[in-house]
Amino acid sequence: MSTTPEFRNFIDGGWVAARNDEWIDVVSPRNRQVIARVPRGGEKDVADAVEAAGRAFPGWRDTAPRARGRLLQQIADAIEPHIERIGRQIADENGNALRTQARGEVQYAVDVFHYFGSVASETKGETIPLNAHVLDYSRREPIGVVGAIVPWNAPVQLASMKIAAALAAGNSLVLKAAEDAPLAVLEIVKICADFLPAGVLNCVVGYGTEAGEALITHPAVRKLSFTGSTAVGKRVMAAAAERIVPVSLELGGKNPQIVFPDADEDWVVQGVVTGMRFVRQGQSCTAGSRLFVHHSIVDSFVEKVTAHLSKLKVGDPLDEATDMGAVVNQKQYDRVCSFIDEGLQRGEARVAIGGRPPSEGPLSEGYYIEPTVFVGIENDWRIAQEEIFGPVLCVIPWDDEEEVVRMANDTHYGLSAFVWTHDLGKALRTAHAIDAGWVQVNQGGGQVLGQSYGGYKQSGIGREFSLEGMLESFTERKHVSVDTSH
Ligand code: NAD
């Protein structure tokens, strides 16, 4: 008998296998071993979940917002004692290092449930002074059944955002977890299940082309909230267009970091490395993967970056000494390697550190890729234009401020950007000129709750990380106009 742990879908308050009894193996990128199996959910499972969410919706909608908020806060408290266990689960299933990433991600989920729990009763409307006899007021009403889809790179953070924001506003939810990293998400759902009425939250695991398609095309789903690649985002938007349902899309990025000549300093190097999300193997939508460094400092700056990166320890994500774990799966590993090969083949570029991953030794046992920096890249090369979603940084030299802004904007993405200089005028001029939803000046950290975070251009539509984002993404606005003269 197999001893592989088995996880199930959560539908209508119960844990169930897929109706067709098919399964997906979850493989750990640490060592390529199967660590669990999860249901290969499909159309029927999604239909069961959407129907359950539809039945649960009126009761949840009519629960006082304060009471909904209190339940979300209780969920936050209940997750807290499990940070270590769930953090280890993330590290094991998606390869993010426990110390530098995975543990913090679960703490972030705790903060998310607290945040949205505390703003649940802020779903206020307005009154408008139309004239003396008319009372016109607006209501923020939940939309109904929300279909939410998350990727594998920050599965717990992103699933928690969607669960907490949608539920705080009074919607019910069907969540499709990513097939590559569903386990920690199911652990979060399990904790939520102790507090929520049956059907309010449902979670189905399965492939995008099966469970994902079933969810985005289901006629009873009234809102789609998707985080993932731009290619799939386009498909989600097309499915939403068929039924005219609102859609929020948080998609990819190929984000610029601009280093001015006065910023050839260690703290900038540290910030650039953080901004590139090397300790997440570059697997972040906000990774600043195009590094524009002024010609006059490029050699010395790259030398400092290289020295800094050479100290990062790549290895088993569960090892406390590890800074940087493994990329998520074979497909992603092959994709990143193909970009590295392409860079290596271009005679004009040079590799400052990293390159092809080792084919023997302990790092060859999992999907480990060392931090890699290419210097002398042109902004229009494929390696500088496509989202690699791996630990590969492209250094592009520049001379003129206008030129660098033009190059930074010369991409179909527009998610985030970073500007590094002591000159505040230059910094703000550049921040305002860049087409991106989030520009950081002299800092390189991750999204903070309360920021209405999201993308320009093909990086997405809508905002979800804040109270305003919750109102925009998960409520409908209704006006009621009353003639008081009768
Ligand atoms: P992906 O688009 O391949 O998959 C994301 C999710 O969509 C998965 O759950 C997948 O099963 C599902 N899916 C795939 N095809 C589908 C379909 N036809 N219909 C419905 N669902 C489908 O992305 P990924 O490789 O898992 O994640 C990496 C991408 O996510 C990167 O592009 C990254 O930039 C992006 N991302 C964006 C943000 C953001 O906030 N903007 C955050 C994290 C990740």
Side-chain angles (χ1 to χ4, degrees):
M1 210 180 86
S2 159
T3 52
T4 308
E6 230 171 60
F7 287 65
R8 286 163 190 250
N9 289 333
F10 185 64
I11 298 176
D12 205 11
W15 295 93
V16 290
R19 290 260 220 127
N20 59 13
D21 202 28
E22 289 192 39
W23 299 83
I24 300 171
D25 284 340
V26 179
V27 176
S28 174
R30 292 172 58 220
N31 49 19
R32 304 173 205 230
Q33 300 295 310
V34 173
I35 52 170
R37 59 180 205 156
V38 289
R40 178 174 170 176
E43 205 176 322
K44 289 187 178 138
D45 309 283
V46 167
D48 289 346
V50 173
E51 281 160 29
R55 285 192 299 274
F57 172 61
W60 185 245
R61 173 194 63 200
D62 296 340
T63 301
R66 251 193 329 281
R68 292 198 298 258
R70 212 174 302 126
L71 289 172
L72 294 177
Q73 302 247 29
Q74 286 167 8
I75 289 171
D77 290 338
I79 295 172
E80 193 137 26
H82 299 284
I83 287 177
E84 186 63 23
R85 182 174 62 82
I86 300 176
R88 295 183 78 83
Q89 187 80 78
I90 297 173
D92 201 13
E93 66 181 320
N94 81 355
N96 281 343
L98 181 62
R99 176 175 57 80
T100 57
Q101 179 61 30
R103 211 177 261 135
E105 185 180 339
V106 192
Q107 178 61 58
Y108 198 102
V110 171
D111 295 345
V112 164
F113 279 97
H114 272 306
Y115 176 85
F116 285 105
S118 68
V119 297
S121 42
E122 295 295 319
T123 45
K124 297 170 187 163
E126 300 126 10
T127 57
I128 303 175
L130 285 183
N131 70 44
H133 307 293
V134 174
L135 167 65
D136 187 288
Y137 65 94
S138 67
R139 286 164 54 82
R140 287 283 189 177
E141 297 184 348
I143 303 173
V145 177
V146 173
I149 298 179
V150 290
W152 45 260
N153 68 324
V156 161
Q157 173 182 338
L158 296 167
S160 300
M161 287 290 312
K162 295 195 191 296
I163 296 170
L167 266 52
N171 303 282
S172 55
L173 186 74
V174 177
L175 174 72
K176 211 285 286 166
E179 57 273 29
D180 287 301
L183 307 180
V185 170
L186 288 167
E187 295 291 354
I188 295 288
V189 169
K190 196 183 263 179
I191 294 172
C192 295
D194 288 339
F195 298 89
L196 299 171
V200 167
L201 169 63
N202 307 273
C203 183
V204 177
V205 186
Y207 293 119
T209 48
E210 297 174 357
E213 277 289 330
L215 186 57
I216 63 176
T217 53
H218 196 292
V221 172
R222 296 280 308 278
K223 155 87 196 189
L224 293 173
S225 170
F226 174 80
T227 301
S229 62
T230 295
V232 177
K234 290 180 185 179
R235 167 70 199 121
V236 174
M237 196 162 172
E242 283 296 315
R243 310 196 307 284
I244 318 285
V245 296
V247 56
S248 312
L249 302 172
E250 295 195 335
L251 309 176
K254 186 76 181 179
N255 310 295
Q257 305 206 44
I258 300 179
V259 183
F260 279 84
D262 66 343
D264 186 16
E265 294 172 14
D266 287 338
W267 66 272
V268 178
V269 169
Q270 167 76 53
V272 160
V273 168
T274 304
M276 175 50 209
R277 314 284 184 250
F278 273 113
V279 295
R280 294 175 63 182
Q281 303 77 257
Q283 298 176 138
S284 162
C285 49
T286 57
S289 51
R290 285 184 302 150
L291 180 61
F292 295 98
V293 184
H294 193 267
H295 251 125
S296 61
I297 58 165
V298 75
D299 289 341
S300 100
F301 195 82
V302 169
E303 205 173 293
K304 289 192 188 72
V305 170
T306 307
H308 190 92
L309 291 177
S310 64
K311 291 188 207 126
L312 286 187
K313 183 173 176 340
V314 181
D316 184 346
L318 286 171
D319 184 342
E320 287 293 332
T322 295
D323 296 301
M324 186 175 152
V327 301
V328 68
N329 57 22
Q330 181 79 50
K331 188 169 150 223
Q332 197 57 22
Y333 180 84
D334 291 343
R335 181 178 154 79
V336 177
C337 288
S338 81
F339 276 104
I340 293 176
D341 286 344
E342 197 177 313
L344 291 172
Q345 278 156 17
R346 304 226 42 156
E348 312 93 304
R350 94 179 153 82
V351 63
I353 187 170
R356 263 244 154 220
S359 53
E360 36 189 63
L363 291 188
S364 65
E365 284 162 23
Y367 301 123
Y368 299 97
I369 302 178
E370 281 164 327
T372 296
V373 178
F374 284 107
V375 188
I377 298 282
E378 299 280 339
N379 193 44
D380 58 357
W381 294 357
R382 197 176 82 97
I383 197 172
Q385 286 291 321
E386 287 188 24
E387 184 184 44
I388 300 175
F389 226 54
V392 181
L393 178 65
C394 294
V395 180
I396 304 166
W398 63 275
D399 279 313
D400 171 72
E401 193 179 314
E402 251 177 58
E403 174 206 18
V404 75
V405 168
R406 186 192 54 70
M407 285 197 290
N409 285 337
D410 184 15
T411 162
H412 59 267
Y413 292 116
L415 191 58
S416 76
F418 309 80
V419 181
W420 304 94
T421 175
H422 292 279
D423 183 326
L424 199 58
K426 276 190 183 140
L428 297 185
R429 215 161 47 228
T430 308
H432 296 177
I434 287 178
D435 300 330
W438 184 29
V439 183
Q440 299 193 68
V441 175
N442 295 337
Q443 60 168 41
Q447 298 97 307
V448 179
L449 273 166
Q451 283 177 323
S452 284
Y453 157 82
Y456 281 19
K457 300 197 274 187
Q458 292 191 25
S459 287
I461 289 180
R463 306 285 184 261
E464 288 182 350
F465 267 69
S466 61
L467 166 61
E468 295 76 19
M470 174 186 92
L471 295 175
E472 182 186 321
S473 297
F474 293 111
T475 68
E476 296 267 30
R477 190 196 285 264
K478 177 190 277 176
H479 271 268
V480 181
S481 306
V482 186
D483 185 338
T484 59
S485 60
H486 304 292

